[in-house]
Structure formats: structure tokens, C-alpha cells
Amino acid sequence: MKISNKQKNTDSEIFGIIGDPVSHSLSPAMHNKAFKKLKISASYLLFHVKPQQLKTFFKEAKSKQIRGFNVTVPHKEKCIPFLRTLSPEARHIGAVNTVLLKNGEWHGHNTDGRGYLKSLETEMRIQLKNKHIVLLGAGGAARAVLYVVAQKKPRHISVINRTLDKAVELTEEFSKKFPHTHFEALPFEPEAFALAFPDAHLLINTTSLGLKGTRLQLPLSKLPPYTIVSDLVYRPLKTALLKKAEKLKLKTHTGIGMLLYQGALAFELWTHRKAPIPEMKKALLDAL
Ligand code: ATR
């Protein structure tokens, strides 16, 4: 990983995203459009950083006009030792997606969860209090989503995961943090879907599947007619899961809003300016 002179414009600040791989990221389109709209002299670049280059990246970045960056797979947890502080969200989620340089030190935040919630509330106008949420997956994305949805005091959260132990660990940890909600861990099996689906208000897919690659058919017809089906996968925008839900006339929520709002929250942390949401959204949709 080298931060080349070609990428730099000496007058402007640099932001970007580190990941491996990173070339598929839609974040440059969204952030560069926002900088342009607000006439901020800054650029958002892609930094392909391999795991063994992470330490060097943190060392070099300060002297290269980099003021902040997003973090994606596989560095969301591995970057924590290089940070001076973690926001409470990043600490509870155990992962960082946004890094900010302040007083010469790196500080870690996580805007993924709040970005998801903002998207869900803005687009679907759902109140989560006293509702039953069914979450598919128990990985990093599930943790971020769980941390924000649990704060809304749902009645019940079922975490369904292929590796049951991971769902058990996650629900045990979150039951302690959020005692007002009943958490249950279930295996990714037909019996679990049959148990959880008939009472669900919101079904969230946090696995990277978008339904493709699952050997199991999710019995969406068991969901009540008012259930919102939400998929964190945004490529394609309408995943197989969402298409199937639409056919059953269920309300659907795509993953693009989470990408948009996590980016908007990061932008606001870096610039202290209100993120231009419509322009960022258009840039994302054009880039998809
Ligand atoms: P992320 O940070 O995107 O959440 P992750 O931490 O690797 O990525 O988690 C991926 C999630 O997708 C996990 O819950 C994983 O289930 P396991 O814990 O059993 O690995 C789930 N997942 C991945 N492939 C899957 C498949 N083919 N069927 C069901 N679940 C799958």
C-alpha cells in the first residue's frame, strides 16, 4: 500500500476507505459528491490495505494529509489497537467503520448501526418498541444492527444463525446489556423459521447471502402481512429475498439506505457539516 503523490492534491484534505478488497466500494462516489456540493476542498480515495500493511498505513497516514477514513473488511476489528479512543458504539459493537484524526491521534467510531436505524426509520417509519425482530446472522453486521435496534426496547429479538453457538453467545451478551428485551438464539433451520416468523414485525437479513447460496428456502409466507423484510445486502439492490417478499406483498427495505446513512454520519464526524443526503443518495444509485 502506497499513498501516491498522484492521488494527492496539496491543498486539500484526504479521506478514504481502507479494505482488502476495496475496489468495489461505492463510498468514493458518495463522499466526493458531498465534498463538491458543499465546496469542501477534500478528496475521498480508495486505499487497498492488506492485513500485514495495516500498521504501516496508520503510521504513514498522519503525515499524508489523511484526516479520516472508513474501515471495511477485514480491518474493522483489527484496527482497534491503533486507535487512541473508541466511541461507546464502537466499543459495544466491537468494530470500527470510521476513523477520525483529532489532536494528532486516531479515534474510532462505528456509524453502521446508527446508519441502519436512520434508514429504517426514515424509509419505513416503523417504531420498534414492543415489537418482535427476527435477525438472520450473528456476525459483525448483526452486532452493529442489534446494538441499535435493542436500544429501541423491542419486546423480543430472535437471532437465527447457521452456527448456533455464535447466536447463543451474542444473545447472552446482549440480554445482559438490554434486560428489557427477551433474546433467543435459534439455528438456521426450518423449525426455527416456523417458530419465529409467524410473530415477526421485522425480519432483517444480516448475512451476506441475500438468499442466494442458502440451501434452505426461507418460508416468508409464514410472516404476518405487516412484516417488513429488510436486507443489508445492497448489490443487487433488490435481492432474491426482497423480490420474494414483494411477491407476497410484504413491505421491503433495501440495504442502500444503511450505506448512505453510515456514510452521512461519518461525513458529519469528519467535516462538522450536515451531509447533503439527496446528492449522496443519487451518487450511490448512479454508481450501483
Ligand atoms: P459480516 O461482518 O458481514 O456480518 P461475518 O461476521 O463473516 O460477516 O458474518 C457472516 C454471517 O453470515 C454469519 O452469521 C454467517 O453464519 P455463520 O456464523 O454460521 O458462519 C452467515 N452466513 C454466511 N454464509 C451463510 C450460509 N451459506 N448460510 C447461512 N448463513 C450464512
Side-chain angles (χ1 to χ4, degrees):
M1 182 277 320
K2 270 259 170 291
I3 303 158
S4 75
N5 285 328
K6 208 169 61 187
Q7 288 175 310
K8 287 197 288 177
N9 165 345
T10 43
D11 293 335
S12 75
E13 296 190 325
I14 296 175
F15 297 89
I17 180 164
I18 64 168
D20 178 29
V22 78
S23 60
H24 62 284
S25 171
L26 300 178
S27 293
M30 161 168 76
H31 285 286
N32 285 321
K33 184 61 99 45
F35 289 140
K36 201 167 162 197
K37 170 74 186 167
L38 300 186
K39 300 192 169 57
I40 295 172
S41 175
S43 351
Y44 187 103
L45 308 174
L46 293 174
F47 299 114
H48 184 192
V49 177
K50 295 189 181 146
Q52 64 273 25
Q53 297 171 315
L54 192 60
K55 194 173 173 184
T56 313
F57 177 84
F58 270 91
K59 236 192 242 165
E60 285 190 357
K62 268 187 208 169
S63 58
K64 304 277 183 184
Q65 285 173 259
I66 297 177
R67 297 292 169 259
F69 50 92
N70 287 127
V71 181
T72 190
V73 180
H75 305 310
K76 285 188 167 189
E77 287 127 39
K78 299 269 163 51
C79 69
I80 291 176
F82 305 107
L83 302 168
R84 178 79 181 84
T85 66
L86 283 185
S87 70
E89 274 164 324
R91 198 162 10 91
H92 284 287
I93 295 167
V96 164
N97 83 323
T98 303
V99 171
L100 167 71
L101 186 68
K102 209 167 129 190
N103 304 327
E105 307 266 20
W106 297 115
H107 300 271
H109 296 258
N110 193 313
T111 66
D112 283 333
R114 258 189 307 138
Y116 175 77
L117 192 65
K118 179 91 181 144
S119 161
L120 189 73
E121 290 180 338
T122 311
E123 292 163 45
M124 309 310 294
R125 303 190 178 280
I126 181 181
Q127 298 286 333
L128 299 177
K129 192 165 182 191
N130 292 328
K131 300 283 181 359
H132 177 201
I133 300 170
V134 179
L135 200 84
L136 303 176
R143 282 187 75 86
V145 167
L146 210 53
Y147 181 66
V148 292
V149 298
Q151 289 178 47
K152 295 288 169 182
K153 298 190 164 52
R155 165 172 53 83
H156 185 177
I157 297 183
S158 310
V159 177
I160 299 183
N161 198 46
R162 183 177 58 177
T163 311
L164 182 60
D165 284 356
K166 273 166 70 180
V168 170
E169 226 173 88
L170 193 61
T171 50
E172 280 179 358
E173 178 190 335
F174 276 75
S175 326
K176 286 183 201 130
K177 283 182 180 161
F178 300 99
H180 47 73
T181 298
H182 170 65
F183 287 87
E184 72 179 337
L186 297 168
F188 202 92
E189 295 293 345
E191 303 75 52
F193 307 141
L195 187 73
F197 283 15
D199 179 46
H201 294 92
L202 174 64
L203 172 69
I204 313 173
N205 174 42
T206 74
T207 73
S208 49
L209 298 170
L211 206 70
K212 257 198 253 144
T214 39
R215 67 186 167 84
L216 296 171
Q217 283 293 316
L218 294 181
L220 299 190
S221 57
K222 289 200 191 312
L223 293 167
Y226 49 78
T227 308
I228 294 173
V229 179
S230 173
D231 202 335
L232 265 53
V233 176
Y234 55 81
R235 227 188 304 236
L237 196 56
K238 265 191 202 159
T239 59
L241 173 68
L242 296 187
K243 279 188 188 156
K244 191 171 170 187
E246 269 184 0
K247 268 199 196 137
L248 292 164
K249 304 211 169 2
L250 298 167
K251 283 180 265 177
T252 58
H253 173 240
T254 72
I256 200 78
M258 177 175 180
L259 181 65
L260 169 67
Y261 287 105
Q262 65 74 33
L265 291 164
F267 183 91
E268 290 173 357
L269 277 169
W270 294 327
T271 63
H272 303 288
R273 303 276 300 274
K274 196 166 161 23
I277 299 287
E279 285 78 9
M280 292 173 84
K281 186 173 183 180
K282 182 169 183 314
L284 274 184
L285 292 172
D286 289 347
L288 248 188

